[in-house]
Amino acid sequence: MNALLISCLEGELDPVQGLAKLSVAELNFLADALFRLLDVGKPEFGVKSWYDAVLEELAARRERSERGERSARGEGPMPGGRSAVEVSSD
């Protein structure tokens, strides 16, 4: 078993600060490894929580990246997003 995965399951890696320090490649590896552990008959306690935390961290990074790309292009919020002030022409 990979040392990164072991550090998660043995409580050595902090679920918030520890995941924030990992690279996207490490997070993807960890998500895959945790998913494989979930795919067994009776996964170890905590595997689902770790899997959810890794997916949340990946989603947050994706959102920050997309927001940064839109900002760099001078675009506003995503469609359906609300701006701080909405002006009506009525």
Side-chain angles (χ1 to χ4, degrees):
M1 203 179 292
N2 179 280
L4 182 57
L5 181 59
I6 291 171
S7 68
C8 289
L9 299 177
E10 292 184 355
E12 298 169 5
L13 183 68
D14 180 83
V16 176
Q17 294 175 348
L19 292 180
K21 293 177 182 178
L22 297 178
S23 70
V24 171
E26 290 170 318
L27 288 170
N28 283 322
F29 168 82
L30 198 51
D32 183 60
L34 290 165
F35 182 81
R36 289 173 191 267
L37 288 176
L38 284 172
D39 200 28
V40 298
K42 285 192 164 232
E44 287 184 50
F45 179 77
V47 171
K48 175 76 166 91
S49 297
W50 272 105
Y51 181 71
D52 291 342
V54 169
L55 292 183
E56 288 174 15
E57 178 65 24
L58 284 167
R61 289 188 188 192
R62 191 174 310 114
E63 184 179 318
R64 285 192 304 263
S65 175
E66 289 171 356
R67 201 175 327 130
E69 289 171 8
R70 284 191 308 276
S71 178
R73 291 190 305 257
E75 297 174 5
M78 286 182 56
R82 304 192 79 180
S83 60
V85 176
E86 293 187 16
V87 179
S88 173
S89 62
D90 293 343

